[in-house]
């Protein structure tokens, strides 16, 4: 219960993909910076996670907080994270000629 809630891993990242990822899922890209021990320069690494998005509120470009969870069914075991909250919505632009929507 409460003890597991405190120890759950959380990340903040951008939603990079909402289509072709699966039902109720989004792909979130998380960047992390760390100091290289020998070169003493900051290195930037990224990793993508699949996260459960049950209410379909996320769009591409949104800044979200994802949290580790174990409350999912067997069919959703690859989704070990869920979208906790949307921190910032992406700015969208609709092209008047093609009608396509782009997120910044």
């Amino acid at each position: 219960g409460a003890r597991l809630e405190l120890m759950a891993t959380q990340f903040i990242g951008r939603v990079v993909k909402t289509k072709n990822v699966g039902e109720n899922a989004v792909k979130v890209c998380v960047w992390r910076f760390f100091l290289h021990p020998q070169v003493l320069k900051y290195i930037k690494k990224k990793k993508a996670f699949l996260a459960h998005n049950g209410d379909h509120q996320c769009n591409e470009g949104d800044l979200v907080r994802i949290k580790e969870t174990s409350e999912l069914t067997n069919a959703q075991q690859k989704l070990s994270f869920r979208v906790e909250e949307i921190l910032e919505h992406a700015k969208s632009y609709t092209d008047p000629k093609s009608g396509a929507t782009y997120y910044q």
Side-chain angles (χ1 to χ4, degrees):
R3 184 175 209 146
L4 290 176
E5 279 294 316
L6 294 175
M7 296 174 60
T9 306
Q10 294 185 14
F11 295 111
I12 294 176
R14 291 253 177 221
V15 177
V16 293
K17 194 172 187 182
T18 57
K19 298 176 184 171
N20 301 328
V21 193
E23 185 74 21
N24 298 334
V26 292
K27 190 174 190 179
V28 178
C29 186
V30 175
W31 293 90
R32 75 181 174 98
F33 299 90
F34 65 95
L35 186 63
H36 192 280
Q38 295 173 342
V39 185
L40 298 178
K41 288 187 177 180
Y42 281 97
I43 308 293
K44 178 168 63 170
K45 287 200 170 202
K46 71 175 180 176
K47 184 169 182 176
F49 296 98
L50 291 179
H52 181 69
N53 180 26
D55 51 1
H56 298 287
Q57 293 293 321
C58 295
N59 293 319
E60 289 184 21
D62 287 350
L63 186 67
V64 295
R65 176 184 292 131
I66 58 174
K67 189 173 187 178
E68 192 174 26
T69 184
S70 61
E71 305 158 359
L72 301 174
T73 62
N74 288 337
Q76 299 171 329
Q77 282 301 335
K78 65 179 181 177
L79 302 176
S80 58
F81 289 88
R82 65 180 158 88
V83 175
E84 186 73 15
E85 67 176 310
I86 299 174
L87 301 174
E88 175 185 298
H89 286 284
K91 297 174 184 162
S92 62
Y93 166 73
T94 304
D95 188 15
K97 293 182 180 178
S98 65
T101 303
Y102 299 101
Y103 296 97
Q104 298 177 352

XYZ file of all heavy atoms in Angstrom:
841
model
N 0.764 -1.177 0.000
C 0.000 0.000 0.000
C 0.819 1.262 0.000
O 1.468 1.604 -0.962
N 0.794 1.955 1.125
C 1.410 3.284 1.221
C 2.920 3.201 1.129
O 3.568 4.087 0.586
C 0.996 3.957 2.524
N 3.493 2.128 1.645
C 4.951 1.993 1.597
C 5.443 1.858 0.158
O 6.454 2.429 -0.218
C 5.367 0.794 2.427
C 6.851 0.654 2.509
C 7.231 -0.476 3.430
N 8.521 -0.155 3.989
C 8.927 -0.459 5.175
N 8.130 -1.101 5.987
N 10.116 -0.138 5.587
N 4.725 1.103 -0.665
C 5.114 0.963 -2.058
C 4.921 2.266 -2.826
O 5.657 2.562 -3.749
C 4.314 -0.155 -2.716
C 4.663 -1.562 -2.248
C 3.738 -2.574 -2.900
C 6.103 -1.894 -2.555
N 3.929 3.066 -2.468
C 3.711 4.347 -3.123
C 4.912 5.264 -2.952
O 5.289 5.978 -3.857
C 2.460 5.032 -2.553
C 1.151 4.547 -3.105
C 0.974 4.858 -4.573
O 1.280 5.987 -4.990
O 0.544 3.969 -5.308
N 5.522 5.250 -1.775
C 6.656 6.138 -1.515
C 7.890 5.717 -2.296
O 8.708 6.548 -2.662
C 6.972 6.156 -0.015
C 5.897 6.769 0.878
C 6.282 6.610 2.332
C 5.689 8.233 0.542
N 8.028 4.428 -2.561
C 9.233 3.933 -3.206
C 9.096 3.830 -4.723
O 10.026 3.433 -5.403
C 9.586 2.570 -2.633
C 9.923 2.626 -1.160
S 10.165 1.018 -0.434
C 11.507 0.400 -1.388
N 7.954 4.160 -5.275
C 7.744 4.017 -6.717
C 8.608 5.004 -7.498
O 8.765 6.149 -7.104
C 6.272 4.228 -7.058
N 9.154 4.538 -8.615
C 9.999 5.364 -9.460
C 9.145 6.328 -10.277
O 8.129 5.934 -10.827
C 10.810 4.481 -10.416
O 11.519 3.510 -9.641
C 11.791 5.296 -11.212
N 9.576 7.586 -10.343
C 8.861 8.598 -11.113
C 9.827 9.262 -12.076
O 10.997 9.453 -11.760
C 8.266 9.666 -10.199
C 7.186 9.176 -9.294
C 6.562 10.315 -8.494
O 6.761 11.484 -8.799
N 5.813 9.961 -7.477
N 9.320 9.597 -13.250
C 10.095 10.317 -14.250
C 9.243 11.431 -14.834
O 8.014 11.349 -14.841
C 10.531 9.400 -15.402
C 11.486 8.321 -15.001
C 11.087 7.002 -14.991
C 12.786 8.621 -14.659
C 11.956 6.000 -14.644
C 13.675 7.627 -14.302
C 13.258 6.306 -14.292
N 9.891 12.464 -15.349
C 9.221 13.532 -16.076
C 9.769 13.514 -17.494
O 10.987 13.504 -17.698
C 9.458 14.905 -15.419
C 8.795 14.936 -14.045
C 8.924 16.022 -16.299
C 9.042 16.203 -13.278
N 8.862 13.477 -18.483
C 9.298 13.403 -19.871
C 8.239 13.906 -20.824
O 7.155 14.314 -20.418
N 8.562 13.883 -22.110
C 7.659 14.345 -23.161
C 7.025 13.144 -23.858
O 7.684 12.141 -24.107
C 8.414 15.143 -24.215
C 8.897 16.455 -23.725
C 8.075 17.571 -24.311
N 8.544 18.824 -23.732
C 7.751 19.780 -23.352
N 6.458 19.663 -23.495
N 8.230 20.883 -22.823
N 5.747 13.303 -24.187
C 5.050 12.279 -24.964
C 5.515 12.412 -26.409
O 5.384 13.462 -27.018
C 3.522 12.459 -24.861
C 2.802 11.450 -25.731
C 3.067 12.326 -23.422
N 6.085 11.340 -26.956
C 6.608 11.393 -28.320
C 5.740 10.618 -29.298
O 5.828 10.833 -30.507
C 8.067 10.876 -28.395
C 8.995 11.809 -27.666
C 8.175 9.477 -27.857
N 4.880 9.718 -28.782
C 4.070 8.923 -29.689
C 2.791 8.505 -28.986
O 2.824 8.066 -27.840
C 4.856 7.690 -30.132
C 4.299 6.961 -31.303
C 5.271 5.894 -31.744
C 4.804 5.263 -33.027
N 5.685 4.193 -33.462
N 1.668 8.664 -29.678
C 0.394 8.225 -29.125
C -0.273 7.180 -30.008
O -1.128 6.448 -29.540
C -0.576 9.409 -28.969
O -0.754 10.034 -30.227
C -0.062 10.409 -27.962
N 0.118 7.099 -31.260
C -0.491 6.141 -32.182
C 0.413 4.932 -32.366
O 1.626 5.024 -32.236
C -0.733 6.804 -33.541
C -1.691 7.966 -33.478
C -1.824 8.634 -34.814
C -2.726 9.845 -34.687
N -2.717 10.655 -35.899
N -0.187 3.790 -32.671
C 0.520 2.536 -32.942
C 1.390 2.070 -31.780
O 2.399 1.415 -31.983
C 1.380 2.649 -34.204
C 0.573 2.989 -35.425
O -0.582 2.602 -35.534
N 1.161 3.734 -36.330
N 1.028 2.444 -30.569
C 1.771 1.997 -29.393
C 0.962 0.951 -28.642
O 1.504 0.172 -27.889
C 2.082 3.179 -28.447
C 3.099 2.779 -27.418
C 2.574 4.366 -29.205
N -0.317 0.949 -28.848
C -1.201 0.017 -28.165
C -2.407 0.746 -27.609
O -2.464 1.974 -27.596
N -3.362 -0.032 -27.174
C -4.582 0.529 -26.598
C -4.254 1.209 -25.276
O -3.583 0.631 -24.420
C -5.596 -0.596 -26.367
C -6.938 -0.135 -25.892
C -7.768 0.517 -26.977
O -7.505 0.274 -28.166
O -8.682 1.275 -26.626
N -4.690 2.437 -25.094
C -4.514 3.202 -23.849
C -3.045 3.373 -23.467
O -2.706 3.355 -22.286
C -5.249 2.529 -22.684
C -6.728 2.452 -22.908
O -7.284 3.261 -23.631
N -7.365 1.477 -22.307
N -2.168 3.547 -24.438
C -0.741 3.673 -24.127
C -0.144 4.858 -24.860
O -0.630 5.273 -25.908
C 0.002 2.402 -24.504
N 0.923 5.418 -24.274
C 1.703 6.473 -24.912
C 3.182 6.143 -24.724
O 3.557 5.412 -23.820
C 1.404 7.876 -24.321
C 0.009 8.318 -24.665
C 1.622 7.904 -22.835
N 4.002 6.703 -25.606
C 5.449 6.534 -25.494
C 6.028 7.833 -24.960
O 5.821 8.900 -25.549
C 6.042 6.199 -26.853
C 7.476 5.781 -26.820
C 7.912 5.325 -28.202
C 9.250 4.668 -28.164
N 9.640 4.203 -29.499
N 6.735 7.764 -23.831
C 7.274 8.946 -23.163
C 8.802 8.877 -23.209
O 9.404 7.867 -22.842
C 6.789 9.017 -21.690
C 7.387 10.224 -20.992
C 5.277 9.056 -21.640
N 9.420 9.962 -23.677
C 10.877 10.050 -23.754
C 11.384 10.836 -22.546
O 10.950 11.956 -22.299
C 11.281 10.734 -25.049
S 13.045 10.750 -25.316
N 12.302 10.229 -21.802
C 12.853 10.839 -20.592
C 14.336 11.112 -20.820
O 15.081 10.230 -21.229
C 12.665 9.895 -19.373
C 13.338 10.462 -18.147
C 11.197 9.649 -19.127
N 14.752 12.353 -20.576
C 16.153 12.746 -20.708
C 16.791 12.800 -19.327
O 16.158 13.213 -18.371
C 16.275 14.128 -21.352
C 15.826 14.147 -22.771
C 14.576 14.388 -23.226
C 16.623 13.896 -23.912
N 14.542 14.316 -24.591
C 15.789 14.011 -25.040
C 17.962 13.579 -24.092
C 16.264 13.820 -26.330
C 18.423 13.406 -25.377
C 17.575 13.521 -26.484
N 18.043 12.392 -19.233
C 18.759 12.557 -17.975
C 20.174 13.033 -18.272
O 20.773 12.684 -19.286
C 18.758 11.277 -17.152
C 19.650 10.195 -17.608
C 19.523 8.977 -16.708
N 20.303 7.895 -17.274
C 21.523 7.567 -16.882
N 22.090 8.217 -15.887
N 22.173 6.589 -17.469
N 20.664 13.876 -17.385
C 21.991 14.450 -17.518
C 22.843 13.961 -16.363
O 22.380 13.916 -15.226
C 21.928 15.984 -17.478
C 21.121 16.577 -18.588
C 19.766 16.796 -18.453
C 21.726 16.915 -19.778
C 19.022 17.345 -19.463
C 20.997 17.464 -20.815
C 19.645 17.670 -20.657
N 24.092 13.594 -16.657
C 24.986 13.193 -15.585
C 26.405 13.626 -15.929
O 26.754 13.801 -17.091
C 24.908 11.678 -15.329
C 25.393 10.829 -16.473
C 26.691 10.369 -16.501
C 24.536 10.495 -17.505
C 27.131 9.591 -17.548
C 24.966 9.718 -18.551
C 26.267 9.259 -18.577
N 27.184 13.805 -14.904
C 28.571 14.239 -15.060
C 29.459 13.026 -15.299
O 29.464 12.088 -14.508
C 29.022 14.984 -13.804
C 30.388 15.630 -13.845
C 30.440 16.723 -14.909
C 30.749 16.200 -12.501
N 30.203 13.047 -16.414
C 31.118 11.951 -16.709
C 32.273 12.000 -15.717
O 32.862 13.065 -15.496
C 31.648 12.073 -18.135
C 32.349 10.856 -18.617
N 33.639 10.558 -18.281
C 31.914 9.838 -19.411
C 33.992 9.413 -18.842
N 32.961 8.960 -19.538
N 32.602 10.879 -15.077
C 33.600 10.921 -14.003
C 35.022 11.256 -14.464
O 35.788 11.849 -13.702
C 33.543 9.514 -13.398
C 32.895 8.666 -14.412
C 32.024 9.543 -15.241
N 35.397 10.902 -15.695
C 36.758 11.155 -16.143
C 36.875 12.429 -16.973
O 37.828 13.197 -16.810
C 37.265 9.968 -16.952
C 37.393 8.707 -16.113
C 37.728 7.500 -16.962
O 37.544 7.512 -18.169
N 38.208 6.446 -16.315
N 35.937 12.650 -17.852
C 36.011 13.791 -18.755
C 35.507 15.065 -18.086
O 35.851 16.169 -18.491
C 35.202 13.488 -20.047
C 35.347 14.602 -21.060
C 35.664 12.192 -20.653
N 34.663 14.918 -17.057
C 34.070 16.029 -16.313
C 33.207 16.928 -17.207
O 33.231 18.143 -17.095
C 35.133 16.849 -15.589
C 35.939 16.092 -14.536
C 36.974 16.978 -13.920
C 35.024 15.509 -13.478
N 32.491 16.290 -18.115
C 31.512 16.988 -18.936
C 30.159 16.339 -18.701
O 30.069 15.166 -18.364
C 31.868 16.890 -20.420
C 33.059 17.719 -20.812
C 33.228 17.704 -22.310
C 34.367 18.594 -22.724
N 34.554 18.615 -24.171
N 29.104 17.124 -18.918
C 27.762 16.588 -18.748
C 27.346 15.812 -19.992
O 27.495 16.296 -21.115
C 26.760 17.709 -18.453
C 26.816 18.146 -17.016
C 27.543 19.248 -16.629
C 26.165 17.414 -16.032
C 27.610 19.643 -15.304
C 26.220 17.788 -14.707
C 26.941 18.905 -14.352
O 27.002 19.278 -13.038
N 26.846 14.632 -19.775
C 26.398 13.748 -20.841
C 24.870 13.703 -20.798
O 24.283 13.629 -19.723
C 26.952 12.318 -20.656
C 28.466 12.342 -20.468
C 26.542 11.417 -21.799
C 29.241 12.771 -21.670
N 24.243 13.731 -21.972
C 22.788 13.695 -22.066
C 22.382 12.349 -22.647
O 22.829 11.965 -23.723
C 22.303 14.835 -22.950
C 20.819 14.872 -23.157
C 20.344 16.158 -23.796
C 20.864 16.390 -25.172
N 20.213 17.507 -25.859
N 21.530 11.622 -21.921
C 21.022 10.333 -22.393
C 19.513 10.348 -22.357
O 18.910 11.012 -21.524
C 21.538 9.193 -21.513
C 22.976 8.875 -21.724
C 23.286 7.494 -21.223
C 24.678 7.120 -21.681
N 24.871 5.693 -21.701
N 18.911 9.583 -23.260
C 17.458 9.502 -23.265
C 17.032 8.038 -23.269
O 17.766 7.162 -23.728
C 16.853 10.224 -24.452
C 17.059 9.562 -25.786
C 16.320 10.306 -26.865
C 16.551 9.612 -28.209
N 15.785 10.235 -29.261
N 15.827 7.824 -22.732
C 15.240 6.501 -22.730
C 13.740 6.663 -22.896
O 13.148 7.589 -22.346
C 15.545 5.767 -21.431
C 15.033 4.349 -21.427
C 15.554 3.560 -20.275
C 15.008 2.142 -20.399
N 15.532 1.279 -19.378
N 13.141 5.766 -23.655
C 11.703 5.836 -23.905
C 10.991 4.774 -23.087
O 11.456 3.637 -22.974
C 11.418 5.645 -25.383
N 9.872 5.149 -22.496
C 9.055 4.238 -21.709
C 7.649 4.216 -22.293
O 7.150 5.234 -22.769
C 8.956 4.717 -20.248
C 10.253 4.715 -19.517
C 10.988 5.881 -19.394
C 10.744 3.560 -18.937
C 12.180 5.893 -18.706
C 11.938 3.557 -18.256
C 12.660 4.726 -18.135
N 7.005 3.050 -22.216
C 5.593 2.958 -22.539
C 4.815 3.162 -21.252
O 5.135 2.557 -20.231
C 5.253 1.597 -23.137
C 5.810 1.311 -24.523
C 5.410 -0.085 -24.961
C 5.314 2.324 -25.516
N 3.803 4.009 -21.299
C 3.029 4.323 -20.100
C 1.540 4.180 -20.393
O 1.082 4.473 -21.503
C 3.327 5.741 -19.625
N 0.804 3.741 -19.387
C -0.640 3.566 -19.503
C -1.315 4.931 -19.439
O -1.058 5.724 -18.546
C -1.138 2.668 -18.374
C -2.601 2.404 -18.413
N -3.187 1.632 -19.378
C -3.607 2.821 -17.607
C -4.484 1.577 -19.168
N -4.768 2.290 -18.101
N -2.197 5.193 -20.394
C -2.913 6.469 -20.489
C -4.392 6.142 -20.596
O -4.968 6.168 -21.672
C -2.412 7.250 -21.711
C -3.106 8.571 -21.879
O -3.588 9.155 -20.924
N -3.166 9.047 -23.099
N -5.010 5.818 -19.485
C -6.374 5.323 -19.484
C -7.419 6.315 -19.924
O -8.396 5.956 -20.565
N -7.240 7.585 -19.620
C -8.282 8.571 -19.939
C -8.037 9.288 -21.275
O -8.778 10.197 -21.623
C -8.403 9.593 -18.812
C -7.060 10.196 -18.430
O -6.048 9.843 -19.051
O -7.031 11.027 -17.508
N -7.009 8.916 -22.026
C -6.711 9.476 -23.359
C -6.570 10.999 -23.319
O -6.995 11.686 -24.231
C -7.790 9.081 -24.371
C -7.897 7.612 -24.589
N -6.959 6.904 -25.288
C -8.828 6.722 -24.180
C -7.306 5.642 -25.310
N -8.436 5.497 -24.638
N -5.971 11.547 -22.289
C -5.797 12.996 -22.174
C -4.486 13.476 -22.794
O -4.332 14.656 -23.054
C -5.843 13.417 -20.697
C -7.192 13.220 -20.058
C -8.231 14.148 -20.640
O -7.958 15.297 -20.935
N -9.433 13.635 -20.826
N -3.530 12.591 -23.003
C -2.207 12.998 -23.488
C -2.181 13.143 -25.002
O -2.741 12.334 -25.722
C -1.156 11.974 -23.083
S -0.914 11.857 -21.330
N -1.500 14.181 -25.456
C -1.209 14.385 -26.871
C 0.297 14.423 -27.050
O 1.040 14.562 -26.079
C -1.818 15.699 -27.379
C -3.313 15.671 -27.393
O -3.919 14.667 -27.773
N -3.931 16.751 -26.968
N 0.738 14.326 -28.290
C 2.168 14.398 -28.558
C 2.695 15.768 -28.148
O 2.082 16.786 -28.414
C 2.451 14.152 -30.037
C 2.228 12.726 -30.444
C 2.610 12.483 -31.889
O 3.398 13.273 -32.446
O 2.111 11.512 -32.460
N 3.844 15.774 -27.484
C 4.462 17.020 -27.056
C 4.135 17.422 -25.633
O 4.735 18.353 -25.103
N 3.193 16.750 -24.977
C 2.841 17.085 -23.597
C 3.970 16.693 -22.646
O 4.638 15.688 -22.843
C 1.574 16.349 -23.159
C 0.320 16.917 -23.794
O 0.415 17.977 -24.420
O -0.737 16.290 -23.652
N 4.175 17.502 -21.631
C 5.130 17.196 -20.572
C 4.359 16.482 -19.469
O 3.392 17.033 -18.920
C 5.772 18.477 -20.039
C 6.889 18.312 -19.022
C 8.099 17.655 -19.681
C 7.277 19.653 -18.444
N 4.752 15.248 -19.154
C 3.987 14.431 -18.208
C 4.903 13.848 -17.140
O 6.107 13.737 -17.322
C 3.242 13.274 -18.923
C 2.195 13.793 -19.870
C 4.206 12.363 -19.640
N 4.286 13.491 -16.006
C 4.975 12.733 -14.962
C 4.451 11.307 -15.021
O 3.245 11.082 -14.977
C 4.706 13.314 -13.580
C 5.357 12.458 -12.477
C 5.049 12.940 -11.089
N 5.699 14.226 -10.876
C 5.087 15.284 -10.382
N 3.820 15.235 -10.067
N 5.740 16.407 -10.197
N 5.365 10.338 -15.165
C 4.960 8.941 -15.170
C 5.458 8.289 -13.890
O 6.485 8.688 -13.331
C 5.481 8.189 -16.414
C 6.997 8.248 -16.513
C 4.840 8.723 -17.664
C 7.560 7.410 -17.629
N 4.713 7.288 -13.440
C 5.011 6.640 -12.173
C 4.954 5.135 -12.356
O 4.075 4.625 -13.050
C 3.989 7.078 -11.125
C 4.291 6.652 -9.729
C 3.298 7.297 -8.785
C 3.680 7.037 -7.353
N 2.762 7.684 -6.432
N 5.883 4.434 -11.724
C 5.929 2.983 -11.807
C 4.728 2.379 -11.085
O 4.325 2.858 -10.029
C 7.221 2.487 -11.165
C 7.533 1.050 -11.424
C 8.889 0.678 -10.889
O 9.360 1.331 -9.938
O 9.469 -0.270 -11.413
N 4.167 1.338 -11.676
C 2.999 0.718 -11.074
C 3.037 -0.786 -11.299
O 3.726 -1.282 -12.184
C 1.698 1.301 -11.660
O 0.599 0.720 -10.975
C 1.571 1.033 -13.130
N 2.286 -1.513 -10.483
C 2.174 -2.960 -10.656
C 0.717 -3.377 -10.600
O 0.404 -4.524 -10.358
C 2.957 -3.682 -9.565
O 2.428 -3.340 -8.298
N -0.197 -2.433 -10.846
C -1.622 -2.686 -10.706
C -2.283 -3.045 -12.032
O -3.495 -2.987 -12.141
C -2.316 -1.449 -10.130
C -1.719 -0.969 -8.837
C -2.026 0.482 -8.572
O -2.682 1.116 -9.409
O -1.605 0.980 -7.528
N -1.521 -3.412 -13.049
C -2.096 -3.640 -14.360
C -2.362 -5.126 -14.585
O -1.813 -5.989 -13.901
C -1.142 -3.114 -15.442
C -0.837 -1.626 -15.332
C 0.221 -1.241 -16.347
C -2.079 -0.803 -15.548
N -3.197 -5.432 -15.553
C -3.545 -6.808 -15.847
C -2.408 -7.499 -16.587
O -1.433 -6.879 -16.992
C -4.815 -6.859 -16.707
O -4.541 -6.201 -17.947
C -5.971 -6.171 -16.011
N -2.546 -8.795 -16.809
C -1.492 -9.554 -17.486
C -1.271 -9.087 -18.914
O -0.162 -9.122 -19.418
C -1.845 -11.047 -17.492
C -1.710 -11.649 -16.117
O -0.979 -11.127 -15.283
N -2.411 -12.745 -15.868
N -2.324 -8.645 -19.593
C -2.184 -8.171 -20.971
C -1.414 -6.856 -21.043
O -0.893 -6.497 -22.083
C -3.560 -7.997 -21.601
N -1.322 -6.138 -19.928
C -0.662 -4.829 -19.922
C 0.644 -4.851 -19.121
O 1.112 -3.817 -18.697
C -1.593 -3.791 -19.318
C -2.881 -3.598 -20.072
C -3.852 -2.721 -19.307
O -3.853 -2.719 -18.087
N -4.672 -1.982 -20.020
N 1.257 -6.002 -18.935
C 2.447 -6.081 -18.095
C 3.616 -5.290 -18.660
O 4.462 -4.837 -17.925
C 2.857 -7.536 -17.877
C 2.018 -8.261 -16.856
C 2.052 -7.603 -15.471
O 2.989 -6.905 -15.128
N 1.009 -7.815 -14.703
N 3.680 -5.143 -19.998
C 4.781 -4.355 -20.568
C 4.642 -2.878 -20.225
O 5.594 -2.127 -20.303
C 4.855 -4.543 -22.073
C 3.660 -4.021 -22.821
C 3.813 -4.229 -24.298
C 2.603 -3.661 -25.010
N 2.722 -3.756 -26.439
N 3.445 -2.466 -19.825
C 3.228 -1.086 -19.409
C 3.442 -1.003 -17.908
O 2.503 -1.074 -17.134
C 1.809 -0.630 -19.766
C 1.409 -0.709 -21.232
C -0.044 -0.330 -21.394
C 2.288 0.179 -22.059
N 4.671 -0.895 -17.479
C 4.956 -0.859 -16.049
C 4.879 0.552 -15.481
O 5.147 0.751 -14.308
C 6.330 -1.464 -15.771
O 7.311 -0.756 -16.486
N 4.520 1.539 -16.321
C 4.356 2.915 -15.870
C 2.959 3.390 -16.230
O 2.344 2.881 -17.152
C 5.390 3.840 -16.525
C 6.787 3.634 -16.026
C 7.617 2.711 -16.615
C 7.257 4.370 -14.963
C 8.893 2.514 -16.150
C 8.538 4.182 -14.492
C 9.356 3.251 -15.085
N 2.469 4.384 -15.512
C 1.208 5.033 -15.860
C 1.407 6.539 -15.790
O 2.258 7.027 -15.042
C 0.067 4.591 -14.956
C 0.206 4.974 -13.515
C -1.002 4.474 -12.719
N -0.679 4.363 -11.312
C -0.801 5.353 -10.441
N -1.244 6.520 -10.822
N -0.473 5.189 -9.180
N 0.614 7.269 -16.557
C 0.700 8.726 -16.565
C 0.055 9.234 -15.275
O -1.132 9.038 -15.045
C 0.002 9.323 -17.799
C 0.006 10.833 -17.729
C 0.679 8.849 -19.069
N 0.848 9.855 -14.432
C 0.369 10.369 -13.151
C -0.354 11.699 -13.336
O -1.442 11.895 -12.826
C 1.555 10.526 -12.193
C 1.193 10.904 -10.803
C 0.552 9.778 -10.011
O 0.643 8.615 -10.432
O -0.050 10.086 -8.975
N 0.290 12.628 -14.059
C -0.339 13.915 -14.318
C 0.310 14.577 -15.526
O 1.438 14.266 -15.888
C -0.253 14.841 -13.104
C 1.156 15.286 -12.758
C 1.188 16.281 -11.616
O 0.431 17.263 -11.675
O 1.978 16.068 -10.694
N -0.431 15.481 -16.134
C 0.084 16.269 -17.258
C 0.554 17.603 -16.695
O -0.228 18.359 -16.132
C -1.000 16.483 -18.325
C -1.462 15.134 -18.870
C -0.476 17.369 -19.446
C -2.612 15.231 -19.823
N 1.845 17.866 -16.817
C 2.421 19.088 -16.255
C 2.240 20.283 -17.187
O 2.057 21.408 -16.731
C 3.901 18.875 -15.957
C 4.207 17.732 -14.978
C 5.705 17.519 -14.886
C 3.615 18.020 -13.624
N 2.319 20.029 -18.509
C 2.212 21.123 -19.472
C 1.672 20.560 -20.783
O 2.178 19.569 -21.287
C 3.605 21.727 -19.692
C 3.685 22.781 -20.753
C 5.134 23.219 -20.963
O 5.735 23.741 -20.012
O 5.644 23.030 -22.078
N 0.629 21.185 -21.294
C 0.075 20.760 -22.579
C 0.911 21.333 -23.713
O 1.440 22.438 -23.612
C -1.376 21.227 -22.719
C -2.335 20.441 -21.885
N -2.742 19.180 -22.235
C -2.949 20.724 -20.714
C -3.582 18.727 -21.329
N -3.717 19.643 -20.380
N 0.994 20.585 -24.794
C 1.760 21.029 -25.958
C 0.970 22.090 -26.717
O -0.258 22.080 -26.737
C 2.045 19.850 -26.877
N 1.683 23.012 -27.328
C 1.050 24.012 -28.174
C 0.785 23.368 -29.534
O 1.682 22.761 -30.116
C 1.958 25.227 -28.323
C 2.203 25.930 -27.014
C 3.207 27.030 -27.172
C 3.499 27.641 -25.803
N 4.734 28.395 -25.797
N -0.422 23.483 -30.019
C -0.766 22.846 -31.287
C -0.958 23.893 -32.376
O -1.327 25.033 -32.121
C -2.030 22.005 -31.136
O -3.115 22.820 -30.772
N -0.715 23.482 -33.592
C -0.856 24.340 -34.761
C -1.541 23.523 -35.852
O -1.115 22.411 -36.165
C 0.518 24.824 -35.231
C 0.510 25.421 -36.610
C -0.040 26.673 -36.840
C 1.043 24.735 -37.691
C -0.057 27.222 -38.106
C 1.036 25.275 -38.953
C 0.483 26.520 -39.158
O 0.457 27.059 -40.412
N -2.608 24.043 -36.432
C -3.317 23.363 -37.517
C -2.988 24.060 -38.827
O -3.202 25.265 -38.980
C -4.836 23.387 -37.277
O -5.097 22.805 -36.012
C -5.553 22.609 -38.345
N -2.448 23.289 -39.759
C -2.101 23.824 -41.070
C -3.388 24.087 -41.855
O -4.192 23.179 -42.046
C -1.220 22.829 -41.810
C -0.667 23.389 -43.099
O -0.722 24.622 -43.278
O -0.167 22.593 -43.937
N -3.625 25.323 -42.317
C -4.875 25.617 -43.019
C -5.007 24.900 -44.365
O -6.112 24.616 -44.790
C -4.839 27.143 -43.197
C -3.462 27.565 -42.920
C -2.789 26.485 -42.133
N -3.888 24.598 -45.023
C -3.967 23.953 -46.333
C -4.265 22.460 -46.226
O -5.156 21.944 -46.880
C -2.656 24.165 -47.101
C -2.416 25.599 -47.489
C -1.153 25.740 -48.266
C -0.926 27.197 -48.646
N 0.334 27.371 -49.382
N -3.497 21.766 -45.392
C -3.656 20.312 -45.318
C -4.613 19.878 -44.213
O -5.132 18.775 -44.236
C -2.303 19.651 -45.099
O -1.784 20.022 -43.825
N -4.827 20.740 -43.206
C -5.691 20.382 -42.105
C -5.008 19.515 -41.048
O -5.638 19.072 -40.097
N -3.708 19.277 -41.202
C -2.964 18.453 -40.243
C -2.648 19.272 -38.998
O -2.411 20.482 -39.072
C -1.673 17.949 -40.886
N -2.632 18.605 -37.854
C -2.316 19.255 -36.593
C -0.894 18.907 -36.180
O -0.516 17.735 -36.174
C -3.298 18.804 -35.500
O -4.625 19.099 -35.930
C -3.024 19.525 -34.193
N -0.117 19.920 -35.850
C 1.263 19.737 -35.413
C 1.393 20.215 -33.979
O 0.788 21.214 -33.595
C 2.221 20.528 -36.311
C 2.172 20.104 -37.762
C 1.465 20.856 -38.690
C 2.809 18.962 -38.189
C 1.399 20.477 -40.014
C 2.767 18.572 -39.520
C 2.057 19.335 -40.430
O 1.984 18.962 -41.729
N 2.222 19.517 -33.192
C 2.468 19.892 -31.797
C 3.910 20.341 -31.655
O 4.812 19.754 -32.208
C 2.187 18.718 -30.864
C 0.752 18.282 -30.867
C 0.334 17.223 -31.652
C -0.192 18.958 -30.112
C -0.996 16.837 -31.660
C -1.513 18.586 -30.122
C -1.908 17.514 -30.897
O -3.225 17.139 -30.909
N 4.096 21.438 -30.902
C 5.449 21.982 -30.708
C 5.980 21.577 -29.361
O 5.292 21.497 -28.404
C 5.433 23.490 -30.810
C 4.996 23.966 -32.162
C 4.900 25.479 -32.242
O 5.022 26.169 -31.236
N 4.674 25.989 -33.417
